[in-house]
Amino acid sequence: MREIPAHRAEKSYRCPACANEVPPGQAHVVVWSAEHFFGDEAAVRDRRHYHSYCWQSA
């Protein structure tokens, strides 16, 4: 998991927890599997962007 501060959030994403947009300029977290079946590169490709509050609630 990596926290993305608001000043580094440059694109919009769809939060998989609530299906709402994570807009540019909003702090959020990026999450990926530490034990991906196909290795580290696949884990990075499959990363997801969550609202911070959605990730804490999951």
Side-chain angles (χ1 to χ4, degrees):
M1 181 191 94
R2 177 175 290 160
E3 294 183 20
I4 306 299
H7 72 276
R8 298 236 9 246
E10 299 173 350
K11 294 172 48 179
S12 64
Y13 298 95
R14 184 72 47 194
C15 176
C18 70
N20 290 313
E21 180 185 21
V22 179
Q26 183 177 52
H28 63 282
V29 296
V30 179
V31 181
W32 61 92
S33 173
E35 299 176 3
H36 197 284
F37 184 74
F38 294 108
D40 292 341
E41 288 183 29
V44 170
R45 281 194 309 272
D46 289 344
R47 67 190 179 269
R48 296 293 177 253
H49 296 253
Y50 285 79
H51 296 106
S52 298
Y53 54 86
C54 288
W55 180 249
Q56 292 172 352
S57 300

